[in-house]
């Protein structure tokens, strides 16, 4: 059988890839790596690092589309193949990380004159590798190495199981509404979306699901309080022992075992807990520094958040609601925002058709970085919604990317950027260009209208494109520190959150927006209202993120191990809410069972990174406020000091190279209106 995943493809041959190709390809490529590296080590090759990079890159090129298809076009066969691939990759990673001959070869090179002659990027590759050998258990006794490998394999399986449970639980919930009166308050365009959703499944009426566009339509707009409660509880109990699908996709034991495996690995490595392991690859210097950072933000934000919540409660009381419940807050917040600022997300939606937003976003980066982005149509994709683009600088193609913007069945929720190809210099001297996947779950087009985005969705798109630029604009040619590779995890959100700022600037909104019928951009009146409302509930949003960050970090500091409670994970989240939250959900609420960032993704003991990096991004953008938001000199400086350097230089050095000093936490508080 010819296997398209084993061919030397510039881009993945979507349309040719079948689930049956996946496991054989990964098995073959792992065998090739282990044989090739063993030969290079035994022969004492001076090119060991480059040989390994080339072999590992072939593996990454094959697994990238496998992982992506599992996320955006999930089927039982793909899911099964993906899970088996994860097991092989986990075993391979552990085997390489615990190979004493390979470690000794790297250590010998690091002590040689050749190392001193390397450029900064090359030295960073070697130093990172030595750190990662240690974190893979290279120094352990053989029995402990074997146990570490078992734990790694089990973790890979558990994380996949967690994500599958969340996807299945999300798709299991459906609420069909026959009478449109039950959906009073929901705008016409969103009603049309719910109707189209029903028709796509051969149903009559309006289909409400837990996909983000459907969920938010109800929570923000439905007058039907009981329907809001139903959706809130269904979403907040996904994959748990509570709610409408109680126990069916329950992640309770999966989560606890994930924490147990991480704790055991940390202890094998000589750390007190997994949070200490996580910090080894972060900007933050210690676990105490992270906790102090989050608590400091909470101390400053919570009093403001309490005032914001009090305002909503008072408004709801005027509307006849004596006891405000969590499922009331988004609904009355939207109405309060309309009363205070005479503006709503739905009113803005008409001004943000997806094609106009994309074109406008490309114009922003053209002005900042002197790049051109054009759509290309001859690239195979996995779905008709997918767009394909190339980036040119000075007439030369430097990167490519895919966009997949709309929610659909079989697609994981949320938004993310993933790398498809990494920039690297090949052994024959040719340059491999970086390629990115940009994925969102926006409200899809309805009928013959273009997809109309809320301003929040526009911000999300800019955020993910910021990650994409970090990956694609790199000038580094060593794969391990090219683009987002090798970047400290608490700095990786800097370029993404930085890009969000242009969604709030009048000069940029002039071409990011354009009414889907008239083409007119946001008028001065509507623009002024939107900008006035920018900081609406910013402190409430701040403490919500701090709740997530502290919960994650406390869990991995072993707070989730308490033996005197029935459910230590639930006890931890409740304790954190007592400390920082202003909204307390019902007792059966189980947000953590769907917290894919830390249980299914790469943010374990690292969710604080969003706020940490937001300090960096707010402070970086402050320079553009001073210099001009499209100041080319400032744009080029950010490009050359941050985006182009990837992970080749420590993140703090890069920030100081751009800003001339260390970051100021006050920049974030001022940006959010929490401090003057």
């Amino acid at each position: 059988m010819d296997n398209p995943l084993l061919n030397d493809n510039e881009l993945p041959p979507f349309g040719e890839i079948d689930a049956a190709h996946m496991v054989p390809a990964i098995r073959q490529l792992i065998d090739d790596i282990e044989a090739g590296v063993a030969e290079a080590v035994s022969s004492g090759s001076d090119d060991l690092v480059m040989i390994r990079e080339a072999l590992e890159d072939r593996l990454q090129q094959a697994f990238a589309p496998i992982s992506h298809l599992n996320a955006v076009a999930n089927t039982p066969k793909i899911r099964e193949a993906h899970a088996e691939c994860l097991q092989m990759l986990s075993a391979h990673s552990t085997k390489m990380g615990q190979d004493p001959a390979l470690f000794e070869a790297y250590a010998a090179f690091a002590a040689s004159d050749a190392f001193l002659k390397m450029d900064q990027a090359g030295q960073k590759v070697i130093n990172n590798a030595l750190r990662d050998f240690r974190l893979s258990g290279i120094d352990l006794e053989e029995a402990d190495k074997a146990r570490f490998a078992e734990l790694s394999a089990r973790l890979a399986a558990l994380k996949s199981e967690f994500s599958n449970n969340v996807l299945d639980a999300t798709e299991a919930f459906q609420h069909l509404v026959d009478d449109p009166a039950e959906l009073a308050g929901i705008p016409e365009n969103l009603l049309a979306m719910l109707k189209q959703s029903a028709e796509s499944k051969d149903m009559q009426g309006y289909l409400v699901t837990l996909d983000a566009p459907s969920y938010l339509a109800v929570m923000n707009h439905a007058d039907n309080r009981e329907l809001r409660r139903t959706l809130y509880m269904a979403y907040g109990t996904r994959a748990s022992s509570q709610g409408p699908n109680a126990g069916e996709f329950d992640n309770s034991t999966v989560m606890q075992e994930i924490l147990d495996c991480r704790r055991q690995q940390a202890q094998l490595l000589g750390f007190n807990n997994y949070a200490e392991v996580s910090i080894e690859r972060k900007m933050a210097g210690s676990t105490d520094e992270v906790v102090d950072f989050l608590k400091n933000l909470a101390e400053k934000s919570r009093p403001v958040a309490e005032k914001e919540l009090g305002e909503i409660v008072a408004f709801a009381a005027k509307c006849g609601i004596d006891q405000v419940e969590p499922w009331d807050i988004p609904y009355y917040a939207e109405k309060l925002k309309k009363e205070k600022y005479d503006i709503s997300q739905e009113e803005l939606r008409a001004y943000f058709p997806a094609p106009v937003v994309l074109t406008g976003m490309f114009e922003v980066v053209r002005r900042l970085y002197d790049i051109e982005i054009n759509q290309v149509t001859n690239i195979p994709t996995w779905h008709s919604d997918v767009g394909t683009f190339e980036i040119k600088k000075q007439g030369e193609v430097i990167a490519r990317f895919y966009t997949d913007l709309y929610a659909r069945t079989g697609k994981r929720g949320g938004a993310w950027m993933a790398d498809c190809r990494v920039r690297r210099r090949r052994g024959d001297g040719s340059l491999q260009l970086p390629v990115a996947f940009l994925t969102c779950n926006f409200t899809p087009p309805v009928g013959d209208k273009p997809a109309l985005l809320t301003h929040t969705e526009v911000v999300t798109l800019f955020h993910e494109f910021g990650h994409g630029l970090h990956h694609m604009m790199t000038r580094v040619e060593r794969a391990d520190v090219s683009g987002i590779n090798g970047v400290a995890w608490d700095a990786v959100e800097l370029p993404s959150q930085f890009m969000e700022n242009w969604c709030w600037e009048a000069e940029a909104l002039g071409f990011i927006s354009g009414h889907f019928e008239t083409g007119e951009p946001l008028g001065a009146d509507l623009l002024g209202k939107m900008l006035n409302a920018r900081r609406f509930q910013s402190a409430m949003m701040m403490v919500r993120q701090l709740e997530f960050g502290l919960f994650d970090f406390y869990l991995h500091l072993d707070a989730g191990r308490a033996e005197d409670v029935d459910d230590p994970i639930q006890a931890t989240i409740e304790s954190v809410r007592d400390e920082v939250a202003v909204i307390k959900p019902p007792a059966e609420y189980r947000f953590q069972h769907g917290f894919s960032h830390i249980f299914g993704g790469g943010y374990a003991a690292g969710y604080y990174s969003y706020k940490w990096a937001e300090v960096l991004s707010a402070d970086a953008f402050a320079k553009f406020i001073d210099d001009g938001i499209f100041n080319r000199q400032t744009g080029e400086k950010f490009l050359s000091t941050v985006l182009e350097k990837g992970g080749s230089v420590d993140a703090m050095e890069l920030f100081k190279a751009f800003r001339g000093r260390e970051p100021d936490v006050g920049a974030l508080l001022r940006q959010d209106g929490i401090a003057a």
Side-chain angles (χ1 to χ4, degrees):
M1 175 180 67
D2 179 53
N3 193 325
L5 290 169
L6 292 173
N7 297 334
D8 187 13
N9 302 303
E10 189 173 16
L11 293 170
F14 291 111
E16 298 177 31
I17 301 170
D18 185 82
H21 297 129
M22 297 177 178
V23 171
I26 298 304
R27 182 181 294 118
Q28 177 64 56
L29 292 169
I30 287 174
D31 288 346
D32 291 349
I33 293 170
E34 294 179 358
V37 168
E39 182 181 346
V41 169
S42 64
S43 67
S45 172
D46 293 337
D47 294 326
L48 167 63
V49 176
M50 297 305 295
I51 290 169
R52 185 183 178 194
E53 177 185 293
L55 290 167
E56 293 280 5
D57 187 65
R58 283 190 67 211
L59 177 62
Q60 192 277 335
Q61 288 195 29
F63 185 65
I66 295 172
S67 177
H68 190 66
L69 288 171
N70 184 64
V72 300
N74 192 279
T75 66
K77 288 184 178 180
I78 289 177
R79 177 181 294 192
E80 183 180 350
H82 178 257
E84 190 171 345
C85 289
L86 284 179
Q87 288 299 301
M88 291 189 290
L89 289 166
S90 172
H92 164 68
S93 176
T94 303
K95 182 177 180 180
M96 299 300 285
Q98 295 183 350
D99 184 330
L102 182 60
F103 168 69
E104 288 167 11
Y106 272 79
F109 187 84
S112 70
D113 291 340
F115 175 80
L116 298 175
K117 295 174 183 176
M118 296 181 85
D119 61 12
Q120 191 170 19
Q123 291 184 355
K124 191 77 161 56
V125 168
I126 301 299
N127 287 330
N128 285 357
L130 293 173
R131 174 202 65 197
D132 293 341
F133 276 115
R134 183 168 59 89
L135 296 179
S136 294
I138 190 68
D139 297 324
L140 301 179
E141 299 295 331
E142 289 306 315
D144 287 341
K145 280 185 179 180
R147 179 59 183 151
F148 191 95
E150 288 174 14
L151 292 166
S152 295
R154 184 63 184 145
L155 272 170
L158 289 165
K159 289 169 67 176
S160 180
E161 184 179 351
F162 182 94
S163 299
N164 290 337
N165 283 339
V166 175
L167 177 60
D168 290 344
T170 302
E171 295 193 343
F173 179 87
Q174 295 185 346
H175 183 79
L176 187 64
V177 178
D178 296 323
D179 184 359
E182 289 187 42
L183 301 173
I186 297 179
E188 284 297 323
N189 64 307
L190 295 178
L191 280 176
M193 175 193 71
L194 299 179
K195 190 171 191 213
Q196 183 172 277
S197 179
E199 290 169 352
S200 71
K201 297 181 182 292
D202 297 322
M203 298 177 179
Q204 297 296 315
Y206 304 83
L207 186 62
V208 177
T209 71
L210 298 182
D211 287 334
S214 179
Y215 177 77
L216 294 174
V218 172
M219 298 308 298
N220 292 339
H221 303 292
D223 299 336
N224 186 334
R225 195 182 189 197
E226 185 56 31
L227 179 61
R228 297 200 307 269
R229 180 190 175 282
T230 297
L231 264 285
Y232 175 87
M233 293 307 301
Y235 190 86
T237 57
R238 289 178 305 160
S240 79
S241 61
Q242 308 292 317
N245 294 100
E248 194 174 348
F249 311 103
D250 192 357
N251 269 329
S252 298
T253 58
V254 176
M255 295 155 58
Q256 193 61 62
E257 192 177 351
I258 286 172
L259 293 176
D260 289 343
C261 288
R262 288 173 178 160
R263 180 184 307 113
Q264 289 182 59
Q265 284 196 323
Q267 291 171 347
L268 284 169
L269 294 173
F271 295 95
N272 293 308
N273 50 63
Y274 186 80
E276 292 182 357
V277 178
S278 173
I279 289 297
E280 291 289 298
R281 294 188 175 101
K282 304 291 194 296
M283 279 179 73
S286 69
T287 57
D288 286 346
E289 185 179 356
V290 173
V291 173
D292 290 346
F293 167 75
L294 294 172
K295 285 187 169 185
N296 179 45
L297 284 179
E299 183 181 336
K300 291 178 168 60
S301 305
R302 190 177 185 185
V304 183
E306 287 170 341
K307 289 179 183 177
E308 292 174 351
L309 179 61
E311 197 175 13
I312 295 172
V313 171
F315 179 81
K318 287 198 308 181
C319 299
I321 302 296
D322 296 330
Q323 180 64 43
V324 173
E325 302 290 354
W327 48 87
D328 296 321
I329 290 170
Y331 175 78
Y332 286 104
E334 188 70 16
K335 290 190 174 301
L336 174 61
K337 186 177 182 181
K338 179 70 175 172
E339 181 179 271
K340 284 186 72 171
Y341 303 105
D342 191 27
I343 197 166
S344 70
Q345 284 283 349
E346 291 310 309
E347 188 177 1
L348 292 169
R349 195 188 283 272
Y351 288 90
F352 294 112
V356 172
V357 174
L358 275 174
T359 302
M361 184 171 72
F362 300 159
E363 174 63 14
V364 168
V365 294
R366 185 193 69 79
R367 296 186 183 196
L368 287 172
Y369 309 128
D370 189 28
I371 56 177
E372 297 290 339
I373 300 178
N374 300 301
Q375 187 161 11
V376 289
T377 57
N378 60 343
I379 295 174
T381 68
W382 56 93
H383 193 275
S384 58
D385 286 345
V386 176
T388 52
F389 300 85
E390 63 183 18
I391 301 178
K392 288 184 176 181
K393 191 167 180 71
Q394 297 176 336
E396 180 183 355
V397 176
I398 61 169
R400 297 184 177 90
F401 62 96
Y402 302 82
T403 60
D404 187 352
L405 302 184
Y406 310 119
R408 62 176 177 270
T409 301
K411 183 179 178 185
R412 194 180 87 207
W416 66 91
M417 188 285 296
D419 59 328
C420 172
R421 298 284 187 272
V422 67
R423 178 184 166 102
R424 57 178 290 266
R425 182 69 62 179
R426 300 188 186 96
D428 63 3
S430 63
L431 186 65
Q432 177 173 293
L433 299 182
V435 183
F437 297 122
L438 302 176
T439 309
C440 300
N441 274 276
F442 299 150
T443 308
V446 177
D448 57 359
K449 291 181 182 178
L452 302 176
L453 309 185
T454 64
H455 186 257
T456 300
E457 289 176 328
V458 174
V459 172
T460 297
L461 179 61
F462 271 66
H463 178 103
E464 299 309 332
F465 192 56
H467 280 308
L469 290 174
H470 199 189
H471 174 65
M472 294 185 288
M473 297 303 294
T474 186
R475 303 292 293 174
V476 180
E477 297 180 356
R478 292 180 179 270
D480 288 344
V481 290
S482 176
I484 61 171
N485 289 342
V487 176
W489 203 252
D490 43 8
V492 82
E493 296 293 336
L494 163 59
S496 54
Q497 292 176 144
F498 173 77
M499 271 299 293
E500 294 178 16
N501 289 286
W502 275 265
C503 303
W504 296 100
E505 294 296 323
E507 189 178 349
L509 284 163
F511 50 82
I512 293 170
S513 64
H515 195 282
F516 78 99
E517 291 176 326
T518 67
E520 287 295 313
L522 280 174
D525 180 54
L526 203 54
L527 176 60
K529 292 174 183 177
M530 190 185 90
L531 296 177
N532 287 337
R534 177 181 182 179
R535 295 184 176 92
F536 181 65
Q537 293 186 346
S538 62
M540 285 175 65
M541 288 185 277
M542 170 75 86
V543 296
R544 180 73 165 144
Q545 288 296 302
L546 295 174
E547 175 188 323
F548 297 163
L550 278 168
F551 166 65
D552 163 46
F553 213 72
Y554 284 159
L555 273 188
H556 291 98
L557 281 169
D558 282 358
R561 198 182 182 184
E563 296 173 356
D564 56 345
V565 293
D566 292 335
D567 186 343
I569 296 177
Q570 181 66 18
T572 302
I573 190 76
E574 289 173 358
S575 172
V576 169
R577 286 178 182 140
D578 289 341
E579 186 177 352
V580 302
V582 295
I583 300 170
K584 303 291 176 66
E588 61 266 42
Y589 197 77
R590 292 292 185 273
F591 151 79
Q592 62 271 22
H593 287 66
F595 198 0
S596 295
H597 280 77
I598 70 167
F599 290 113
Y603 281 84
Y607 194 84
Y608 79 88
S609 300
Y610 281 99
K611 283 301 165 194
W612 185 280
E614 202 171 353
V615 170
L616 306 180
S617 67
D619 201 1
F621 187 68
K623 180 166 177 58
F624 283 84
I625 294 175
D626 293 340
D627 298 350
I629 67 162
F630 288 116
N631 183 295
R632 275 297 307 284
Q633 187 175 358
T634 308
E636 288 289 346
K637 186 175 184 183
F638 188 79
L639 177 65
S640 63
T641 56
V642 177
L643 297 181
E644 290 184 348
K645 290 290 193 293
S648 66
V649 182
D650 285 340
M652 183 61 82
E653 287 185 43
L654 295 180
F655 183 88
K656 289 193 290 188
F658 174 69
R659 206 64 176 95
R661 55 167 173 75
E662 293 193 356
D664 170 23
V665 71
L668 173 60
L669 295 169
R670 290 189 294 273
Q671 176 182 280
D672 285 356
I674 294 170

